[in-house]
Amino acid sequence: MQDTITAAINPADDKGSYLEGEDLKKLEEYFQSGALRVKAAKQIGASFSSIISETVAKSLLYGDITCPGGNMYPTRRYAACLRDLGYFLRYATYAMLTADSSILDERVLNGLRDTYLSLGVPIEPTVGAITAMKEVVGQRVGTDAGREMNIYLDYIISGLS
């Protein structure tokens, strides 16, 4: 993972130069939105359990997926789904804080689609749940922070699709 700060500084350091132009502009934008990102991360961390519960209720709980024969049945599979949604939310929050999606590739997406397909985990309901998560998170953290989180939740959706 490389955050916005190191992404700007490392290339300049390699060249032995000062930061200027576009690099400074990116850092300025990053710092200006920092308080918003930290506040959102606090809100998400304080209510992650209820965010996951509401996400499941909005997207998965009342479909065939939770019935016998569905991919969230029995409870072991249901628990695995909740665990994965928690991972998606946690890593999207890390990515939002650093304004860098590379952690999502490293820790979430690398091989996930293939793993899900080999285990018979349906991608479409997973994408639907992450889409519902975007709505739930946006309601919890507000419009601006929700838009920021959506970047990284959409990144996960794109990686699964």
Side-chain angles (χ1 to χ4, degrees):
M1 176 176 72
Q2 182 168 292
D3 63 28
T4 301
I5 298 167
T6 55
I9 291 173
N10 286 344
D13 186 41
D14 288 344
K15 293 186 279 186
S17 63
Y18 286 92
L19 292 173
E20 52 188 20
E22 191 63 32
D23 289 330
L24 283 175
K25 184 178 179 188
K26 285 180 186 176
L27 285 176
E28 183 178 34
E29 290 170 3
Y30 176 75
F31 289 123
Q32 286 175 346
S33 65
L36 175 73
R37 288 182 282 107
V38 169
K39 181 180 176 186
K42 284 181 184 178
Q43 290 170 318
I44 292 167
S47 61
F48 75 91
S49 182
S50 63
I51 290 171
I52 299 302
S53 296
E54 193 173 334
T55 295
V56 169
K58 282 183 173 291
S59 60
L60 300 171
L61 196 56
Y62 303 107
D64 292 340
I65 198 165
T66 58
C67 297
N71 282 74
M72 284 179 61
Y73 184 89
T75 55
R76 177 182 51 80
R77 288 182 177 177
Y78 182 83
C81 179
L82 295 179
R83 178 205 61 213
D84 288 358
L85 290 173
Y87 288 161
F88 299 153
L89 180 61
R90 181 164 49 97
Y91 282 108
T93 303
Y94 294 164
M96 185 243 340
L97 280 168
T98 61
D100 177 47
S101 60
S102 68
I103 193 170
L104 298 174
D105 292 321
E106 294 169 15
R107 308 268 173 93
V108 178
L109 294 172
N110 191 7
L112 181 64
R113 180 174 171 70
D114 293 335
T115 300
Y116 272 14
L117 291 173
S118 71
L119 294 173
V121 176
I123 301 295
E124 188 175 311
T126 304
V127 167
I130 298 168
T131 301
M133 184 183 291
K134 288 171 43 178
E135 181 183 333
V136 174
V137 168
Q139 291 169 350
R140 298 292 173 92
V141 301
T143 304
D144 291 338
R147 261 194 303 269
E148 188 70 26
M149 272 297 287
N150 285 351
I151 293 168
Y152 304 101
L153 293 170
D154 284 338
Y155 192 86
I156 294 171
I157 289 170
S158 176
L160 286 172
S161 299

